[in-house]
Amino acid sequence: MPAFKLTLSFLLFSLYCSATQAEPLALVETACKHISQKLSSVYNKQCLSNQLIDSGYRSNQNKPLLIKEYPPLARRKPQAKVLLIGGIHGDEYSSVSILFKWLNTLDKYHSGLFHWKVIPLLNPDGLLRKHSRRTNGNGVDLNRNFSPGANKQASLDYWAKRTWKDKRRYPGPAPLSEPETQWLDHIITEFEPDVIIAVHAPFGILDFDGPHKAPKHLGSLHLKLLGTYPGSLGNYAGLQLGKPVITIELPHAGIMPSAQQISSIWVDLVRWLKNNAQHTKQNKALLQADTDSRKLSNID
Ligand SMILES: [Zn+2]
């Protein structure tokens, strides 16, 4: 092929690529626009100022999965690494909105004591649709799609027998079948968080899985162990991997807690982290007793 034809082909290919691949920044801007249109408590300008990063990973329906990292300050060794996740279920609006409030708090006051990774919306396909729903773009409940390596059939059996095949709780064809759970699993493996905090709604309590002493309350939310489910994040990260998982269940899916409540949950959470979270891989020894004492139940 003559040289000019090769050059022309390359130019056309480059043009095609630039036309089909949006810049990461443009993707973040679009995501902020859609999130702020959906959630009255999140403002577009504020979302943009949070400077979320496009992880490069995509949801089932090709939406960018966004993350923000707050590394320890220079020459400061973090006390612990913390992973904070909202919007695992797309119809729990408050679980996303409150993450944006806490992003603002971290933007202003991050001291470097902890190394944070914050995912405000794990399930953009569930939230960003006309009628938001619990499941992802593929109709899978992400909080039933974890537990790789566990009995593959356990989640499906539980779904069939204990939820009568409730569509809202479909665990997917296999553990980690979904891009959103694959991404989170990748972060857990690479980042090795010492504590995982997942925000849900609307039970108005705290749940806890894994080793360590659970917080008795965060703000006005009190500890009430709901039990674990095959495929849940608490079951996987808390019981299989031995990492403490705090589940914050806000009281309402569609109504935000008061500003004072949002702040007092945060203050109590950070206090609990200061007193309990250490960078350690030795948590598994505490695991078995906890696993034995937990029973399955059928709430969120
Ligand atoms: Zn939930």
Side-chain angles (χ1 to χ4, degrees), residues 84-265:
L84 173 60
I85 311 150
I88 295 171
H89 291 139
D91 55 358
E92 297 169 5
Y93 299 155
S94 57
S95 79
V96 183
S97 298
I98 202 166
L99 265 275
F100 278 93
K101 302 293 179 204
W102 289 338
L103 281 170
N104 292 343
T105 303
L106 281 167
D107 282 347
K108 274 192 202 158
Y109 302 113
H110 175 55
S111 67
L113 181 59
F114 300 105
H115 183 174
W116 296 84
K117 285 201 177 188
V118 183
I119 298 168
L121 174 57
L122 183 67
N123 182 6
D125 293 348
L127 176 74
L128 301 174
R129 57 199 304 133
K130 192 176 175 195
H131 300 290
S132 298
R133 68 185 195 195
R134 177 183 173 95
T135 52
N136 77 345
N138 205 22
V140 173
D141 181 344
L142 298 180
N143 205 32
R144 300 292 182 274
N145 190 246
F146 290 97
S147 298
N151 179 0
K152 275 191 179 182
Q153 201 54 38
S155 296
L156 282 166
D157 285 349
Y158 185 85
W159 176 63
K161 288 175 190 162
R162 299 289 294 273
T163 77
W164 297 278
K165 298 196 175 181
D166 178 357
K167 274 189 183 170
R168 297 179 72 246
R169 290 176 168 76
Y170 175 54
L176 299 187
S177 59
E178 305 307 302
E180 298 89 352
T181 49
Q182 287 167 14
W183 178 53
L184 195 67
D185 183 53
H186 171 74
I187 290 172
I188 291 171
T189 306
E190 279 222 318
F191 182 49
E192 296 189 314
D194 303 296
V195 180
I196 297 172
I197 302 151
V199 185
H200 288 265
F203 291 105
I205 52 103
L206 295 178
D207 193 7
F208 189 82
D209 295 289
H212 287 348
K213 216 172 157 189
K216 285 199 176 117
H217 72 92
L218 299 180
S220 62
L221 305 176
H222 287 263
L223 183 67
K224 185 177 181 205
L225 299 179
L226 295 177
T228 57
Y229 317 92
S232 73
L233 179 62
N235 194 331
Y236 171 47
L239 303 187
Q240 280 188 50
L241 301 181
K243 294 177 184 297
V245 179
I246 299 174
T247 302
I248 296 174
E249 278 277 354
L250 299 171
H252 306 284
I255 306 170
M256 280 283 273
S258 67
Q260 198 221 328
Q261 265 305 311
I262 293 168
S263 165
S264 64
I265 294 170

Side-chain angles (χ1 to χ4, degrees), residues 79-82 192-196 212 243-244 277-280 283:
Q79 181 183 324
K81 294 195 262 183
V82 185
E192 296 189 314
D194 303 296
V195 180
I196 297 172
H212 287 348
K243 294 177 184 297
Q278 295 289 332
H279 183 47
T280 172
N283 291 337

Side-chain angles (χ1 to χ4, degrees), residues 238-299:
L239 303 187
Q240 280 188 50
L241 301 181
K243 294 177 184 297
V245 179
I246 299 174
T247 302
I248 296 174
E249 278 277 354
L250 299 171
H252 306 284
I255 306 170
M256 280 283 273
S258 67
Q260 198 221 328
Q261 265 305 311
I262 293 168
S263 165
S264 64
I265 294 170
W266 182 258
V267 168
D268 286 350
L269 176 64
V270 172
R271 186 179 297 134
W272 184 89
L273 290 170
K274 279 182 183 165
N275 293 333
N276 294 275
Q278 295 289 332
H279 183 47
T280 172
K281 296 177 184 175
Q282 307 300 319
N283 291 337
K284 283 190 178 171
L286 299 167
L287 188 60
Q288 193 56 44
D290 185 63
T291 310
D292 292 344
S293 68
R294 304 299 295 277
K295 286 187 178 141
L296 295 173
S297 63
N298 195 22
I299 317 169

